Amino acid sequence: MVAKAHVKYLRISPRKVGIVADLIRGKSVAQATAILMTTPKAASEPLLKLLKSAAANAENNHNMDPEKLYVSEVFAAPGPILKRIMPRAQGRAYRINKRTSHVTLAVAEKE
């Protein structure tokens, strides 16, 4: 059985979220929590919140043992891009892409 949690429209690029996601993939929930609490990246705070949500979903909705949970999958997909314009010299305008992410985190029980 797998319990999932999603966060949509997270205002961090999927590339940056993926770096932190790679750190916790396959780890136990307790170990992943410790890693996220000590990682000085912007994506670690929303991922920690998402991990706690997925663990709570597993415990309350699927009656899983919280001690046996591990991060079975975590990935960040690109969301919509907010397009902004930066004025440049001689009347030009450069585009700035403010990227968003849809992050999915799943926890499962180890046998």
Side-chain angles (χ1 to χ4, degrees):
M1 186 50 114
V2 175
K4 289 186 177 183
H6 307 277
V7 62
K8 294 195 168 200
Y9 307 105
L10 181 64
R11 251 301 283 128
I12 302 174
S13 86
R15 189 173 175 178
K16 292 178 183 177
V17 176
I19 291 169
V20 181
D22 290 342
L23 294 174
I24 63 168
R25 191 176 291 114
K27 305 277 195 297
S28 70
V29 169
Q31 196 176 2
T33 303
I35 290 169
L36 289 174
M37 289 180 83
T38 57
T39 304
K41 294 268 188 193
S44 60
E45 191 175 333
L47 275 179
L48 178 62
K49 196 171 178 180
L50 191 63
L51 178 64
K52 287 180 180 177
S53 176
N57 289 344
E59 190 177 353
N60 296 316
N61 301 344
H62 302 292
N63 298 320
M64 293 184 192
D65 183 15
E67 298 297 317
K68 295 181 184 175
L69 293 176
Y70 75 101
V71 180
S72 60
E73 68 174 337
V74 56
F75 59 91
I81 299 172
L82 305 173
K83 296 175 175 94
R84 300 294 180 257
I85 290 174
M86 171 74 80
R88 302 303 292 181
Q90 298 179 359
R92 292 181 177 90
Y94 286 0
R95 177 181 278 172
I96 292 181
N97 292 327
K98 295 185 177 281
R99 298 181 188 276
T100 61
S101 304
H102 298 323
V103 185
T104 302
L105 192 143
V107 293
E109 224 172 13
K110 278 217 160 112
E111 282 80 35

